[in-house]
Amino acid sequence: MSTQASTSAAVNEARGRRSSAEDVENSKTHFRVCRFITETGVKLGMRSVPMATACVLYHRFFQSASLQVYEPYLVAMSAIYLAGKVEEQHLRTRDIINVCHRYFHPDSEALELDVKFWELRDSIVQCELLILRQLNFQVSFEHPHKYLLHYLLSVRSLLNRHAWSRTPIAETALALLKDSYHGSVCVRHKPQHLALTSLYLALQTYGVQLPRGEQEWWQVVCAEITKPQIETIMNELLQLYDMEAKCT
């Protein structure tokens, strides 16, 4: 019996290691694909919110779908196409295909309107329908951008003009928020919490201290969040930068 128990424990341990390794590889893939969404979105002239929606569509889809079953870059292209519709910044499939093709083949010409092009276009449209069904047609999301703007205005009022102008707090907080879409942190937490943590980390980065009253500044602007929640989200954001180093 003791031999059986030790064998079972060894098997379970091996399974755990394999599962952990697969999770790391999956996270790397999702990071690379969301970087692809962001970079192609910029080339397509997408605004920040439609790009964020595309990343959320992608992450939501793979919360219940497997990378072993679905091609992630095709899902990403369809997410870009669908996000344009959702956020009323319509994009032509031909433009999406050409920009994405150039991403993978920088020195190549635009695709001809041949059989290969039309097959890819049909695949994007079919995958869009798959995303819609997988998400039960719930494709409208509340993003943290508006909350970050509100929190920035509140924090700015607590600092003197010189302290605010000599540190790029707003730019850093926005960059952190934008980078959060490279991982599933953007779909695991409330938008208010993600916005506040981006600002909290930006202030910490530059060592900016805010006046303290009866409550901490973050309790004043977002009463529902706790310090452990801030630390959890902050750690997840910092892990994305570790992931970036591994994916280069």
Side-chain angles (χ1 to χ4, degrees):
M1 291 294 291
S2 60
T3 303
Q4 285 183 329
S6 61
T7 301
S8 177
V11 170
N12 289 335
E13 184 179 351
R15 285 175 178 170
R17 285 197 300 269
R18 185 166 63 248
S19 176
S20 178
E22 287 176 359
D23 289 343
V24 171
E25 287 305 312
N26 289 346
S27 295
K28 286 182 181 179
T29 298
H30 294 319
F31 184 95
R32 292 189 186 103
V33 177
C34 287
R35 183 168 58 191
F36 160 79
I37 291 174
T38 302
E39 292 181 9
T40 54
V42 169
K43 293 176 182 176
L44 286 162
M46 294 180 76
R47 300 187 302 269
S48 296
V49 170
M51 275 197 287
T53 295
C55 290
V56 171
L57 287 168
Y58 173 87
H59 286 300
R60 290 284 188 204
F61 179 82
F62 279 108
Q63 280 184 322
S64 55
S66 170
L67 281 169
Q68 282 67 48
V69 177
Y70 299 103
E71 164 53 46
Y73 286 97
L74 176 60
V75 174
M77 293 169 72
S78 298
I80 291 170
Y81 182 52
L82 179 55
K85 293 181 180 180
V86 172
E87 302 298 344
E88 298 184 355
Q89 188 184 0
H90 297 277
L91 301 166
R92 297 193 309 169
T93 51
R94 182 175 181 179
D95 292 335
I96 294 172
I97 289 171
N98 283 331
V99 169
C100 293
H101 177 73
R102 186 66 61 84
Y103 180 91
F104 293 110
H105 309 282
D107 300 324
S108 66
E109 298 294 328
L111 285 176
E112 298 290 335
L113 296 179
D114 55 11
V115 174
K116 182 179 179 181
F117 175 90
W118 292 111
E119 285 180 348
L120 182 53
R121 183 190 179 281
D122 289 344
S123 295
I124 290 173
V125 173
Q126 290 299 317
C127 189
E128 177 198 14
L129 295 174
L130 177 64
I131 293 172
L132 285 167
R133 289 197 296 268
Q134 192 85 353
L135 272 59
N136 294 318
F137 293 86
Q138 296 177 7
V139 293
S140 182
F141 309 109
E142 186 179 34
H143 291 292
H145 299 71
K146 63 180 181 180
Y147 294 105
L148 179 59
L149 178 60
H150 171 69
Y151 299 155
L152 282 168
L153 292 172
S154 298
V155 166
R156 184 178 181 178
S157 68
L158 297 174
L159 290 172
N160 66 61
R161 183 165 52 88
H162 298 293
W164 179 264
S165 62
R166 67 171 175 259
T167 50
I169 296 168
E171 294 85 349
T172 302
L174 187 58
L176 288 164
L177 189 62
K178 180 180 176 182
D179 290 344
S180 73
Y181 286 90
H182 285 69
S184 58
V185 59
C186 66
V187 296
R188 289 203 305 270
H189 302 282
K190 292 182 178 180
Q192 302 96 310
H193 295 181
L194 195 56
L196 186 133
T197 303
S198 297
L199 177 54
Y200 184 95
L201 185 52
L203 290 167
Q204 275 205 340
T205 300
Y206 292 101
V208 176
Q209 299 290 329
L210 296 178
R212 183 174 179 178
E214 294 182 1
Q215 293 180 306
E216 296 282 0
W217 68 268
W218 48 267
Q219 293 174 310
V220 175
V221 299
C222 185
E224 63 184 63
I225 198 169
T226 65
K227 189 65 176 293
Q229 286 175 317
I230 293 174
E231 291 173 348
T232 295
I233 299 172
M234 191 161 58
N235 287 334
E236 290 180 26
L237 286 173
L238 294 173
Q239 285 172 12
L240 286 176
Y241 292 100
D242 291 336
M243 185 67 66
E244 182 178 23
K246 295 174 184 176
C247 289
T248 52

